[in-house]
Amino acid sequence: MFDNQNFADHESVHMFSDQKSGLRAIIAVHNTARGPAAGGTRLWTYPNTSAALEDALNLSRAMSYKNAMADIPFGGGKAVILRPSGAFDRVALFQAYGRAIESLGGVYCTAEDVGVSTADMEEVRKATAYVGGLDTGAAASGDPSPITAEGVFRGLHVAAKNAFGQASVDGVKIAVQGLGHVGYSLCEKLAGAGARLWVADINEAAVEKAHQELGAHIVSPDEIYGQSVDIFAPCALGGAVNANSIDVIKAKIVGGAANNQLASPEMGQALRDRGVLYCPDYVINGGGIINVAAELSGAYDPDWVDGKLDGLSQTLSEIFTTADAENRPTNEIADSLAEQRIQAAAHR
Ligand code: NAD
């Protein structure tokens, strides 16, 4: 474990199994200097347990950075549940998972990520209070995805101002990869603001809906990268910017909701070399965790959420300015800023 290249000084990594429900989960706590570790739970079919561990470690480190950039009083953590093969009792699985979280005594707080719904989180709540993204309860904030989409939407305006000199997406051509909870909501906002959309998803019903409702052009999942558009918005899974896609991306801005968009950190420099403005993923997609943080505080305040979303845009703007001044890729600038914020909290 300690030699794993993705270990990155995690404070702790917890493995849970529950024979009765079939639960196998990994909760990775990267850093708690700024507060309890907060980050979503992913339910996914992994080829093997090593792949699940890698995912948990990578994602939880990114959450430390994301929460620091969102300026919320939380450290970084993330959990993955290995999807049981065959039929399983979802209620029992998430209740067992809730007991696992409870056993950590508040070191880790969770919410939804890919493959997990608000209904699942309601089952988690039966066993622990360290959960947000709920539909019911005094401070319920519901599915964080629309707020994530709102943060991405605002961030793309900041990027458009930097790259095209106009803080507007009216008439701007945008390719959106992945029309799930966040991607579809983002498309609705973009279409409402006059953007022209090209969309891809492995779920044909989703792209058909975007075509019917938003006038989006449907593109195959393999061809979304190379569209002649102004902005490429990855909103599916990680690694959208990789050794294969880097040379076919024609957009001048890459910015979307997906976590870990760069297959490797070097891709940030590769984008810069090609004149592409990259919106660091964990900055632009911080809206959801801001919303969850508002709920976890015990008293949901929409004005606080709105102010923090504006803060994300401001941080993004500062990153772009520093990247230009220092001629460095935006992902490096974001990492440095996040590390400074985490270290400052650790010193305090
Ligand atoms: P989701 O599961 O609802 O949507 C993902 C979509 O991507 C699905 O429609 C899926 O069919 C599609 N997809 C998968 N593989 C694809 C491929 N190869 N090509 C095209 N489409 C593909 O998930 P979501 O909640 O919308 O999250 C999307 C991304 O944003 C994830 O990376 C997630 O970690 C990240 N994120 C989500 C939130 C949030 O609030 N939900 C917050 C921050 C980051």
Side-chain angles (χ1 to χ4, degrees):
M1 175 70 77
F2 295 110
D3 296 332
N4 186 308
Q5 60 167 350
N6 294 306
F7 185 67
D9 286 328
H10 270 73
E11 286 179 13
S12 59
V13 182
H14 309 262
M15 323 279 285
F16 293 94
S17 77
D18 177 66
Q19 224 176 7
K20 213 169 157 199
S21 63
L23 175 77
R24 288 192 302 158
I26 302 170
I27 299 179
V29 174
H30 178 251
N31 191 288
T32 58
R34 292 178 55 87
T41 297
R42 182 171 288 195
L43 175 68
W44 197 247
T45 303
Y46 291 94
N48 51 55
T49 46
S50 302
L53 177 63
E54 301 275 308
D55 211 22
L57 292 175
N58 269 327
L59 291 165
S60 70
R61 177 167 174 263
M63 285 310 302
S64 291
Y65 286 41
K66 184 188 297 198
N67 295 345
M69 293 309 241
D71 195 24
I72 55 175
F74 287 95
K78 194 90 180 183
V80 302
I81 299 177
L82 292 82
R83 193 183 176 90
S85 52
F88 64 96
D89 180 343
R90 207 166 170 112
V91 167
L93 187 90
F94 279 96
Q95 287 183 1
Y97 177 58
R99 291 193 293 277
I101 292 177
E102 179 65 12
S103 76
L104 297 180
V107 166
Y108 170 71
C109 305
T110 200
E112 303 88 348
D113 189 44
V114 177
V116 175
S117 68
T118 49
D120 297 328
M121 286 297 128
E122 293 291 348
E123 297 306 324
V124 170
R125 196 221 323 233
K126 289 178 181 161
T128 185
Y130 303 117
V131 53
L134 298 163
D135 277 333
T136 58
S141 66
D143 177 8
S145 308
I147 308 295
T148 303
E150 176 64 22
V152 175
F153 180 65
R154 293 187 194 184
L156 290 180
H157 282 76
V158 176
K161 173 95 172 92
N162 187 284
F164 312 135
Q166 56 158 54
S168 159
V169 293
D170 193 12
V172 172
K173 293 189 260 179
I174 306 180
V176 181
Q177 178 190 41
L179 301 181
H181 291 90
V182 185
Y184 200 87
S185 174
L186 176 65
C187 284
E188 288 176 325
K189 289 172 189 290
L190 293 171
R196 297 166 60 200
L197 300 176
W198 279 256
V199 297
D201 197 296
I202 49 175
N203 174 0
E204 283 179 19
V207 286
E208 191 52 44
K209 186 167 176 241
H211 175 64
Q212 296 291 341
E213 292 181 357
L214 309 173
H217 304 270
I218 299 175
V219 180
S220 77
D222 288 344
E223 287 173 353
I224 193 72
Y225 305 94
Q227 293 303 304
S228 296
V229 292
D230 306 303
I231 299 177
F232 172 46
C235 297
L237 296 181
V241 181
N242 55 52
N244 295 325
S245 65
I246 188 84
D247 285 321
V248 299
I249 292 173
K250 297 194 183 77
K252 287 290 162 211
I253 294 171
V254 171
N259 285 313
N260 297 344
Q261 289 170 33
L262 305 181
S264 66
E266 295 73 38
M267 287 295 144
Q269 181 68 56
L271 285 172
R272 187 167 180 82
D273 291 344
R274 288 159 178 77
V276 181
L277 181 65
Y278 172 61
C279 306
D281 44 18
Y282 60 78
V283 183
I284 198 169
N285 73 11
I289 197 68
I290 287 172
N291 208 45
V292 170
E295 176 173 352
L296 290 170
S297 76
Y300 186 87
D301 177 357
D303 291 338
W304 183 85
V305 172
D306 194 58
K308 289 289 178 193
L309 286 180
D310 278 347
L312 282 186
S313 294
Q314 171 108 26
T315 302
L316 207 52
S317 176
E318 283 166 21
I319 289 169
F320 295 156
T321 304
T322 311
D324 285 341
E326 299 181 7
N327 192 20
R328 287 166 64 207
T330 53
N331 60 315
E332 267 186 39
I333 304 293
D335 283 358
S336 306
L337 195 52
E339 282 157 16
Q340 279 168 23
R341 289 186 183 187
I342 294 166
Q343 275 160 21
H347 286 307
R348 280 199 301 277

